[in-house]
Amino acid sequence: MLRTNQSFLSHLEELYRKQTGENIILESFSKGQKLLTQDHSVSKVMLIKEGITKCYFEEENGKEYIVEFLGSGEILGEVELIKNIPCLCGIEALTEVEVYTISLPYFNELIQKDLILNNLLLNSFAERIINTSSRASYQQLYTVEHTLTQLLKMQSKQNIQISKEDMAAYLGITVRSLNRILKDIK
């Protein structure tokens, strides 16, 4: 439910320490602030150092569907840069978030020269495919109540507050349905 990638974070921290210019900088975002906006162009690639974000699709009717919760070591904007497309989804801070921002020219240079970074990217892409497949089968095999229980455990373990709207958006149900399920669980 909460995706992290310590290997990627470690590698980027090393690149950050060794840099001579300002190709990688630290940037902070407040809770509720957008890191990336769906359908807008990407101005930099980011890697989460600390904090938790939600990755979501906003449908034409204004409803959100949360794809994942992302934490430390998760990279943002790289697919859009590689494919030269607008942001596929929105990324919003659920807690205070600190990210490494990487300039687009430097990230392109890293893709050409840094074999470790390329392997980390390949691993990240493979992990996303596995997670998407697992989540799809999980939703078919388990009840919404079971998934909600897991979501509540994650919320407690991470010591964060996830709004009912975000819980419903992650589960793909209405807030009204969520309230009914919460009532039944208690």
Side-chain angles (χ1 to χ4, degrees), residues 2 8 39 41 44 46 67 85 87 92 96 107 119 126 128-129 133 142 178 185:
L2 175 63
F8 218 137
D39 296 326
S41 61
K44 53 198 158 201
M46 301 178 197
V67 180
I85 58 173
C87 289
E92 183 179 313
E96 298 292 315
F107 191 77
N119 284 323
R128 287 178 189 169
I129 292 167
S133 300
Y142 293 94
L178 174 66
I185 289 175

Side-chain angles (χ1 to χ4, degrees), residues 77-85 107-108 111 121 125:
E78 80 293 356
V79 170
E80 292 82 352
L81 172 70
I82 292 167
K83 295 296 292 173
N84 194 26
I85 58 173
F107 191 77
N108 276 323
I111 288 174
L121 277 172
F125 295 150

Side-chain angles (χ1 to χ4, degrees), residues 1-3 54-56 64-70 131 135 138-139 144 147-148 150-152 154 162-174 178:
M1 292 191 159
L2 175 63
R3 305 292 173 213
K54 66 177 180 179
C55 172
Y56 63 95
E64 288 181 5
Y65 175 72
I66 296 177
V67 180
E68 292 289 355
F69 295 104
L70 305 172
N131 291 338
R135 182 166 178 207
Y138 188 89
Q139 287 175 326
V144 173
T147 308
L148 176 59
Q150 298 303 313
L151 185 59
L152 292 170
M154 188 265 302
I162 300 173
S163 70
K164 285 186 177 181
E165 291 78 12
D166 282 349
M167 283 186 199
Y170 182 76
L171 297 168
I173 61 175
T174 64
L178 174 66

